[in-house]
């Protein structure tokens, strides 16, 4: 089996309520299906509020799903008993965006890295201790850092600690939720390189969540583009960047700044602001901003279809094209 | 560029007292801005780019102190009275901020806040303030401007709120607009629109812009020149094209190489080792020396100065890079 | 906005219901309500049983509760054990005195505290600021009954400027009002200062300055309106306590408001009157909080429009 | 200097000048005085019998209403004078410290313990429990508590234990709201999410990662609450509904002596009044200082 994680028709809805007491349902993750293959880096791209972080939390069972399944190495996480799920958690880990926010300010660096082993009672005291030292080395920190507290280290170092903690139990799968977005450029590269090296040496699989398209292009093997709780396009990274099919993906790419003064100036894609996620339109979610919207887009919600091998897109433009060409 | 510069900053220092002596958040910053030019002020967090611009507006609040020479349109800003300075702010010099949602007062309508700019500057007195305010919103492409005057900031999206901020800045028909990370809090698609708006403003109104950012990619297509700051100092200043083509300071080169760039997939990013110094414990000599692959003994003992190489380029390095 | 008002109103009514229920439950705290009502009187066993029956305390508890509720809705909270008059009526007659006292006290408190808070914030760290804040810290720490006694000793006994107690014209009102005002005065001054300092650090204040607004406009309009929001909450809370809880001040000065009346009733073991007083005071308090919610909605568009 | 970009100057200044425990500031002299004052009061509460020159309830009718020593009729055996029953005021003030602190601290500990526990559970687990607890807290806050407290005491009768209970019932709401608010925001923090992802059990997360992180806020609030509790206790005692004689309490001393004050014996109310004020003032000053040091952004 090459699929490590299988997400099937996953939905996460929130009951929200304003201060005035009006109830509404937020479709944060809406009928999402995809697989993460062993040893790949699947990137999840989207703008703020598209549901990518909620999706990550739901996969990890940190957030209750509304419906759907998540299979990890063949086991349905949503159906597991609490104890079994806890045991399985050793194999999947998470790294967050804010390096300092992901460390308990009152726990020393050494203890933070040791905590996973304490929680799962792995090894003897001495073994845990030497593992802490090993992990510090693995992420490029000095053994002396173990005695420090989070406020005594920099953001880049804190992110290394968070990575070391995630690796403590030899996981197979790591969800990295915007792991470099709050770091400075020069530190970003260090962390991205570290993550790449660790994947190669430890055989890890990543679900990499990001909004920076340049970072994603550099770092991922496949890319899924999310919009308002849905995956609208999923393809191999090179293919997606070379030939984006969904109008939203095209607009995103057109909007990304190109770090080249000689590149021809492009007019930005005027696609307006993201509509209110509380009232998704009945048809395609992107219809209100789409330059190519057709009648059918207002009425029928497009499904994610494999229009070419390994290239999935949820857009009415493509099945039509295919039909007319065949 | 024969005409005199619009803004000349020389040896600007901004200090904040701390228990262990004062910290120089900006230390001897010098640069110039010519009329209708877009200058990118680039650097990582804590490099002093934001305090520098606050000092330009004389908005550094006590206990912070600042000194140096700031000449704007031939007037020495350090010598102006507080009243004259106030008329300049929001008039010929405007500023917009990183997070438009926190930079707008939540309890007053947008129209009210725009009207204040007209009321505070006698030189801008127009007939009907509401009409003038609506025109401001129209200028930044906000649909249905007259109705939006009655809206409160929280009713706008981030991108629309940033347009409102820019509009307010333009109300005084400034010749210099300082934009402090204007798109950092916004999504990519909205960011592109805001940057395009800044470009259009320069074309139409000939407003010079200082764009403060940590993202070099943003500056590539927007800025005419780039000023790179590191640990409170300007380390390199250069026209954009030359800077991207042949950075002269090792830090600039490091930044360019460590940045993933769209359409240039590489097996591995170059990285600058270590991290920026703590301003409370600066190294002797060049501030970048501990992280610099080219550092020699001289770099660790003698602090380099910002020198011009004659072609409009400046670099603060003992051993500047030659063209690749 | 209408939805917000409706929700707040429902909450206020529910809270009032809950408070009334708690007050009703007070008599059952020790098990036998009749024993409490008759405590201190030489009542025989037959008297007790008669009273129990007459007051309905021999019926099942839920029935007693329903009876209480239906009576309470009609404004009937029982009769005074001493005079036999409706307890609520007796208490309401005293409300005017308490409101007078509270209004004057709050006016005094606000007139002093708001300027003090603003001056302290504007000259943060100066000698003036430190002196004012030290004084308000002392003011906040003096127990009200001691303040009252000091006022009497100084202004009534020594200087003979004001009467030491009783009710009459404004002369009688002044000392109790000043006593009652001291704590809120100190508290509000400190809050105005900290709230203003907090607001002055916000981005929109910096942005307002960057737009070239006059400092008077920046502080007087933007900072003050934003800083007012937390202050209003505390002012309302303090005013509410004054309406219901000026017990000590009224006792010291013999001011015939709800508080003094309640203490007298307690000493006379007139429980229906005590209950009526607590219910009435809570009612005023809840109504006040509701008004403050409305005020909030009016001041803060984020509440009004969401 | 690697924290996220300081969005405003204020953030930058905060970052550069962050206050630390070790630093001595201009207001610290006041804090030192407050600390010494409170320490003296605590010593009085611990060993009143050793410090007081006379037993607190020893009456000498011949020595009634003696003024303090330094006044004309003063007696050197009674430094602060005597009350209407000839009891030594200094001894009574010293003994009064004990009950104030015992009642204050026990009510504080009970209400703090209950409030924090309830707030933690409500904030961490959310749901109906949270809804109900917060409703209850709203209701309690909507009652003018002094009035309710005297009504309750009137029903259940004044005794030291009852006073503590009434005060504790008043206090829990503050802690519950504080702990809930902090727990609510902490549980969304990435480090708590990370521990959940690691498979840590709820009790471990709550006890080892949430509780320690809200403790400093609780300590600050508790110190300021203590002042309120002591005030309320002395108010109840003043009304005769609190601590009952023969236990000596400052509030009761004031109530007892007020008629004699009008007759010119100012000292019978002045010294107990000063004692209460000094206690509350020093607690307030220290509480304020603790907030500055531990949790400057905390709003109370």
């Amino acid at each position: 089996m090459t699929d490590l994680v299988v997400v099937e028709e996953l939905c996460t809805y929130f009951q929200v309520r304003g201060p005035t007491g009006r109830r509404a349902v937020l479709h944060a993750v809406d009928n999402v299906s995809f697989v993460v293959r062993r040893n790949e880096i699947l990137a999840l791209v989207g703008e703020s509020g598209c549901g990518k972080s909620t999706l990550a939390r739901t996969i990890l069972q940190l957030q209750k799903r509304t419906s759907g399944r998540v299979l990890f190495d063949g086991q349905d996480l949503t159906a597991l008993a609490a104890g079994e799920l806890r045991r399985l958690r050793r194999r999947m880990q998470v790294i967050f965006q804010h390096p300092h926010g992901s460390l308990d300010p009152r726990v020393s660096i050494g203890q933070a890295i040791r905590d996973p082993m304490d929680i799962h009672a792995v090894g003897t005291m001495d073994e845990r201790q030497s593992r802490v030292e090993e992990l510090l080395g693995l992420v490029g920190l000095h053994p002396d850092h173990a005695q420090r507290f989070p406020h005594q280290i920099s953001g880049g170092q804190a992110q290394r600690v968070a990575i070391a903690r995630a690796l403590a139990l030899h996981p197979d799968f790591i969800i990295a939720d915007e792991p470099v977005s709050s770091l400075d450029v020069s530190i970003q590269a260090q962390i991205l390189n570290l993550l790449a090296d660790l994947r190669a040496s430890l055989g890890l699989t990543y679900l990499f969540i990001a909004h920076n398209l340049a970072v994603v292009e550099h770092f991922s093997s496949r890319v899924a583009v999310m919009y308002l709780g849905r995956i609208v396009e999923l393809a191999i990274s090179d293919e997606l960047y070379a030939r984006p099919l969904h109008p939203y993906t095209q607009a995103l790419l057109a909007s990304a700044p190109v770090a080249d003064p000689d590149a021809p100036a492009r007019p930005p894609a005027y696609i307006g602001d993201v509509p209110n996620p509380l009232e998704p339109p009945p048809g395609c979610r992107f219809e209100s901003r789409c330059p190519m919207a057709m009648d059918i887009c207002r009425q029928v919600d497009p499904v994610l279809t494999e229009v070419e091998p390994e290239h999935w897109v949820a857009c009415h433009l493509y099945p039509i094209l295919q039909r007319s060409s065949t | 560029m024969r005409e005199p510069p619009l803004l000349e900053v020389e040896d600007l220092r901004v200090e904040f007292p701390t228990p262990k002596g004062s910290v120089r958040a900006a230390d001897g910053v010098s640069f110039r801005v010519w009329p209708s030019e877009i200058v990118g002020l680039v650097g990582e967090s804590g490099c002093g780019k934001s305090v520098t611009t606050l000092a330009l507006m004389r908005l550094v609040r006590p206990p912070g102190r600042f000194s140096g020479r700031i000449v704007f349109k031939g007037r020495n800003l350090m010598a102006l009275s507080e009243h004259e300075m106030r008329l300049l702010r929001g008039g010929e010099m405007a500023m917009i901020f990183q997070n438009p949602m926190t930079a707008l007062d939540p309890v007053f309508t947008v129209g009210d806040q725009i009207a204040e700019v007209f009321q505070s500057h006698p030189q801008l007195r127009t007939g009907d303030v509401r009409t003038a305010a609506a025109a401001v919103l129209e200028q930044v492409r906000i649909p249905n401007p007259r109705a939006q005057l009655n809206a409160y900031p929280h009713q706008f999206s981030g991108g629309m709120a940033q347009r409102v901020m820019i509009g307010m800045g333009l109300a005084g028909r400034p010749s210099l607009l300082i934009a402090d990370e204007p798109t950092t809090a916004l999504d990519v698609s909205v960011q592109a629109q805001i940057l395009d708006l800044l470009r259009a403003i320069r074309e139409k109104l000939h407003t010079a812009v200082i764009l403060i950012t940590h993202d070099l990619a943003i500056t590539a297509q927007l800025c005419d020149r780039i000023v790179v700051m590191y640990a409170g100092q300007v380390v390199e200043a250069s026209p954009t094209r030359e800077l991207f083509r042949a950075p002269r300071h090792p830090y600039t080169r490091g930044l360019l190489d460590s940045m993933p760039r769209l359409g240039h997939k590489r097996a591995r990013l170059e990285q600058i080792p270590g991290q920026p110094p703590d301003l409370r414990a600066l190294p002797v000599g060049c501030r970048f020396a501990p992280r610099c692959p080219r550092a020699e003994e001289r770099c660790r003992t003698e602090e380099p100065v910002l020198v011009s190489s004659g072609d409009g380029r400046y670099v603060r390095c003992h051993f500047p890079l030659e063209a690749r | 906005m209408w939805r917000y008002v409706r929700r707040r109103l429902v909450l206020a009514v529910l809270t009032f219901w809950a408070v009334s229920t708690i007050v009703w439950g007070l008599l059952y705290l020790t098990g036998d309500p009749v024993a409490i009502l008759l405590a201190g009187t030489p009542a025989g066993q037959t008297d007790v049983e008669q009273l129990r029956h007459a007051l309905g305390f021999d019926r099942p508890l839920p029935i007693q509760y329903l009876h209480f509720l239906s009576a309470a809705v009609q404004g009937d909270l029982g009769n005074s054990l001493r005079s036999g008059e409706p307890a609520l009526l007796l208490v309401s007659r005293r409300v005017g005195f308490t409101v007078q006292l509270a209004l004057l006290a709050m006016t005094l408190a606000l007139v002093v505290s708001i300027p003090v808070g603003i001056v302290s914030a504007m000259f943060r760290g100066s000698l003036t600021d430190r002196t004012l804040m030290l004084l308000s810290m002392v003011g906040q720490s003096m127990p009200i009954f001691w303040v009252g006694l000091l006022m009497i000793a100084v202004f009534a006994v020594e200087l003979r400027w004001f009467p030491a107690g009783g009710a009459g014209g404004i002369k009688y009102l002044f000392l109790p009002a000043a006593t009652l005002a001291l704590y809120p005065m100190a508290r509000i001054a400190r809050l105005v200062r900290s709230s203003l300092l907090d607001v002055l650090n916000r981005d929109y204040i910096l942005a307002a300055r960057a737009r070239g607004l006059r400092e008077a406009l920046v502080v007087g309009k933007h900072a003050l309106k934003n800083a007012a929001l937390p202050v209003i909450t505390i002012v309302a809370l303090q005013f509410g306590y004054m309406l219901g809880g000026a017990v000590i001040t009224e006792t010291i000065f013999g001011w015939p408001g709800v508080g003094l009346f309640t203490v007298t009733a307690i000493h006379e073991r007139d429980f229906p009157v005590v209950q009526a007083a607590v219910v009435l005071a809570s009612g005023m308090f809840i109504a006040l909080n509701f008004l403050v919610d409305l005020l909030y909605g009016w001041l803060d568009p984020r509440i009004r429009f969401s | 200097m690697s924290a996220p970009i300081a969005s405003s100057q204020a953030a930058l200044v905060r970052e550069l000048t962050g206050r630390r425990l070790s630093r001595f500031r201009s207001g610290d002299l006041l804090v030192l005085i407050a600390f010494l004052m409170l320490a003296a009061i605590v010593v009085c509460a611990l060993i009143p019998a050793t410090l007081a020159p006379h037993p607190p309830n020893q009456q000498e009718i011949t020595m009634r209403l003696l003024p303090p020593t330094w006044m004309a009729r003063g007696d050197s055996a009674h430094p602060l004078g005597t009350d209407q029953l000839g009891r030594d005021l200094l001894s009574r003030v010293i003994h009064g410290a004990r009950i104030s602190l015992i009642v204050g601290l026990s009510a504080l500990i009970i209400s703090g313990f209950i409030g924090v526990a309830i707030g933690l559970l409500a904030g961490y687990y959310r749901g109906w429990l949270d809804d109900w607890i917060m409703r209850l807290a709203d209701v309690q806050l909507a009652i003018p508590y002094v009035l309710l407290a005297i009504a309750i005491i009137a029903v259940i009768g004044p005794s030291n234990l009852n006073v503590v209970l009434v005060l504790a019932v008043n206090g829990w709401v503050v802690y519950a709201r504080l702990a809930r608010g902090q727990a609510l925001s902490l549980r969304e923090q990435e480090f708590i999410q990370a521990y959940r992802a690691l498979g840590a059990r709820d009790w471990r997360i709550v006890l080892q990662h949430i509780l320690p992180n809200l403790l400093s806020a609780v300590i600050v609030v508790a110190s300021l609450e203590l002042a309120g509790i002591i005030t309320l206790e002395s108010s109840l005692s003043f009304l005769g509904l609190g601590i009952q004689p023969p236990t000596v309490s400052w509030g009761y001393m004031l109530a007892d002596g007020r008629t004699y004050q009008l007759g010119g014996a100012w000292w019978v109310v002045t010294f107990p009044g000063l004692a209460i004020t000094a206690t509350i003032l020093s607690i307030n000053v220290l509480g304020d200082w603790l907030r500055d040091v531990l949790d400057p952004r905390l709003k109370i």
Side-chain angles (χ1 to χ4, degrees), chain A residues 154 184 190 259 262 270 273, chain B residues 45 141 157 241 261 272 275:
Chain A
S154 73
D184 275 321
Q190 296 175 2
D262 295 320
Y270 270 92
D273 286 338
Chain B
S45 49
R141 304 173 191 158
S157 67
R241 189 156 281 135
R261 294 158 83 166
I272 307 177
Q275 46 223 323

Side-chain angles (χ1 to χ4, degrees), chain A residues 46-48 154-157 160 184-194 196-197 211 213-215 217-220 237-238 241 251-274 289, chain B residues 43-46 141 157-160 163 186-193 195-197 199 214-218 220-221 240-241 244-245 251 255-276 291:
Chain A
E47 297 180 283
S48 55
S154 73
Q157 289 168 333
R160 288 173 193 269
D184 275 321
V185 192
S186 70
I187 309 298
Q188 243 179 44
Q190 296 175 2
I191 298 296
L192 285 174
N193 284 339
L194 176 65
D197 294 346
H211 68 274
L213 293 162
V215 168
E217 181 187 24
H218 171 78
F219 197 66
S220 58
S237 177
D238 293 342
Y241 279 84
L252 267 188
L253 280 170
S255 306
V258 178
D260 180 0
D262 295 320
R266 307 160 303 167
Y270 270 92
I271 51 173
D273 286 338
V274 184
R289 304 166 79 192
Chain B
E44 298 178 276
S45 49
R141 304 173 191 158
S157 67
M160 283 295 149
R163 282 162 193 270
L186 306 175
D187 275 324
V188 201
S189 58
V190 184
Q191 160 172 296
Q193 296 163 29
L195 295 177
D196 190 53
L197 180 63
R199 200 179 286 129
H214 65 278
D215 186 355
L216 266 171
I218 287 178
Q221 295 202 301
T240 306
R241 189 156 281 135
F244 273 84
R245 198 176 291 152
Y251 174 66
L255 274 187
L256 286 170
D257 287 349
S258 61
M259 182 175 63
R261 294 158 83 166
L262 216 51
H264 297 265
K265 193 164 178 171
R266 281 167 286 169
R268 199 181 161 76
L269 298 167
E270 296 297 320
Q271 60 186 55
I272 307 177
Q275 46 223 323
R291 304 175 75 188

Side-chain angles (χ1 to χ4, degrees), chain A residues 129-143:
Chain A
Q129 198 48 46
S130 61
R131 176 85 177 131
V132 168
E133 279 160 30
E134 183 191 336
L135 285 162
L136 281 171
L138 195 63
V139 297
L141 290 172
H142 195 270

Side-chain angles (χ1 to χ4, degrees), chain C residues 199-215:
Chain C
V199 168
L200 285 172
N201 272 332
R202 299 290 175 91
D203 279 358
Y204 53 79
I205 294 297
L206 179 65
R209 287 188 175 125
R211 282 204 298 277
L213 267 49
R214 257 170 273 117
E215 193 64 16

